[in-house]
Amino acid sequence: MQITLLIDGQEKTFTIPFVKARMFRRALELRKKYDFNNIDVEALDSIIAFIVELFNEQFTVDEFYDGIAADRLIPTISDCMNKVIGVAKTSDPNV
């Protein structure tokens, strides 16, 4: 999984080769707690903190907010969440 942010005027791409099972659990918690079709500020901050943790804190919450285009924010969040949840679902056909 990867994400590209604009930091200090340069595009920087961050990758994680491995998604921890704990992150799958946290993604499920976030999905249950928040309405992703109507995200408020509290939900957004929690989800961004999750993404920072997902990427092993290679960037900060502020770098994420300042480094992603507004029109890419929701699609990027959705993509990250779907990939985390999809990792477990696609690895076991019985899930």
Side-chain angles (χ1 to χ4, degrees):
M1 184 181 314
Q2 72 178 27
I3 192 168
T4 301
L5 303 173
L6 186 64
I7 299 176
D8 296 328
Q10 296 180 3
E11 281 193 353
K12 296 185 180 182
T13 301
F14 302 93
T15 61
I16 53 167
F18 173 78
V19 176
K20 301 173 198 169
R22 177 172 308 281
M23 299 313 293
F24 174 78
R25 183 182 189 284
R26 295 244 356 260
L28 291 177
E29 286 175 345
L30 289 170
R31 286 240 169 145
K32 184 176 181 179
K33 184 175 182 178
Y34 298 116
D35 176 5
F36 277 65
N37 294 318
N38 189 20
I39 296 176
D40 63 16
V41 172
E42 177 190 348
L44 187 60
D45 287 346
S46 293
I47 295 164
I48 300 307
F50 165 80
I51 292 173
V52 169
E53 185 180 349
L54 176 65
F55 278 86
N56 299 314
E57 300 180 9
Q58 296 178 69
F59 50 86
T60 67
V61 169
D62 287 335
E63 287 173 326
F64 183 88
Y65 273 124
D66 295 335
I68 193 153
D71 66 337
R72 293 294 314 143
L73 179 63
I74 300 302
T76 300
I77 289 170
S78 295
D79 186 52
C80 287
M81 296 296 286
N82 289 336
K83 285 181 179 175
V84 169
I85 292 172
V87 165
K89 288 187 176 183
T90 58
S91 63
D92 183 355
N94 297 317
V95 174

